[in-house]
Amino acid sequence: MKLLVVTDLVAGYGKTVVINGVSFDVELGQVIGLIGPNGAGKTTLIKAVLGYLKPWRGKILYEGNDVTGLPAHKLARLGIGYVPERGGVLRTLTVRENIELAASMSKHGGDKLKEVTKLFKIIEERKTQIAGTLSGGEQKMLSIAMALVMASKLMILDEPSAGLAPIMRKKVVEVLKKINKEFGISLVVAEQDPTVVLETAEVVHVIEMGSIVKSGKTHEIIKPEVLKEYYLGM
Ligand SMILES: Nc1ncnc2c1ncn2[C@@H]1O[C@H](COP(=O)(O)OP(=O)(O)O)[C@@H](O)[C@H]1O
Ligand SMILES: [Mg+2]
């Protein structure tokens, strides 16, 4: 079953077109990767899909329903979890308050809290710590946990590994695999660095200058030379 179908999406800021006719879909239980360089339009695409930015053209179907143009809070209510590039946690609240806030904002978040707490040790171990005092990697984990509490079938993650040390990036990979396998949640993972996508996604779309320029099975798209190019170009 197709969980999310995005067709010919066009979006931008002011009069500037940034996303120029993008189409992709996500099957139930699937992990897809969106890779592309800085400024390619990954964040803009995600914001247009999630209702933070009104699409100029195109169509978005979620579970078969037309959700094009719905505001972000309504899409969140449908159970689409979002891990933003930055600012996913409320820095002045404790870890516990953050996760409880996420649970209170979702329809069935309360039921999931226990399972999510089991997966993210940080929730128990650091429950009274102010979120802003966590390390970058810990804040990212908390942000992922919050999105999981709110997600029923789909999570969209905007550069979850950006700025993280290799060990933390590995933990992100592990946690994403578990979210997909154990919770049965489909994932859309946008990354500039192809490594997390390589280890998690089944299908990859390459986005450049607001368009998908290449799509295919992950191992066909992210070949060793692509990785080499990426690291040399950094
Ligand atoms: N709020 C904004 N206002 C105007 N232009 C923006 C805004 N945000 C991003 N852009 C522009 O849109 C393009 C795509 O950016 P973005 O979606 O952030 O790419 P990515 O996430 O792939 O790095 C860039 O040229 C960027 O400068
Ligand atoms: Mg971005």
Side-chain angles (χ1 to χ4, degrees), residues 200-212:
T200 55
E202 190 182 325
V203 169
V204 170
H205 303 288
V206 180
I207 173 164
E208 276 171 23
M209 291 171 71
S211 299
I212 289 178

Side-chain angles (χ1 to χ4, degrees), residues 13 18 37-44:
Y13 307 96
V18 172
N38 193 18
K42 302 178 295 296
T43 298
T44 305

Side-chain angles (χ1 to χ4, degrees), residues 30-41:
Q30 192 178 37
V31 180
I32 75 152
L34 296 171
I35 60 171
N38 193 18

Side-chain angles (χ1 to χ4, degrees), residues 175-215:
V175 110
L176 294 187
K177 282 182 174 167
K178 282 188 181 161
I179 289 171
N180 178 244
K181 297 256 148 54
E182 293 172 20
F183 290 80
I185 302 224
S186 302
L187 305 174
V188 175
V189 185
E191 283 280 7
Q192 193 180 334
D193 176 340
T195 49
V196 169
V197 166
L198 179 66
E199 289 184 60
T200 55
E202 190 182 325
V203 169
V204 170
H205 303 288
V206 180
I207 173 164
E208 276 171 23
M209 291 171 71
S211 299
I212 289 178
V213 294
K214 215 193 296 176
S215 302

Side-chain angles (χ1 to χ4, degrees), residues 6 38 41-42 70 73 142 152 172 200:
V6 175
N38 193 18
K42 302 178 295 296
L70 276 192
H73 68 273
L142 179 56
S152 56
V172 167
T200 55

Side-chain angles (χ1 to χ4, degrees), residues 62-63 76-81 102-116 147-154 183 185:
Y62 181 65
E63 294 192 286
R77 276 265 155 202
L78 293 177
I80 305 180
S104 74
M105 288 195 295
S106 79
K107 263 191 272 170
H108 23 244
D111 315 335
K112 257 172 93 179
L113 208 49
K114 237 191 199 158
E115 277 178 278
V116 174
L148 178 58
V149 164
M150 295 181 69
S152 56
K153 296 192 178 109
L154 177 65
F183 290 80
I185 302 224

Side-chain angles (χ1 to χ4, degrees), residues 21-35:
V22 164
S23 303
F24 68 95
D25 56 57
V26 184
E27 305 258 353
L28 191 63
Q30 192 178 37
V31 180
I32 75 152
L34 296 171
I35 60 171

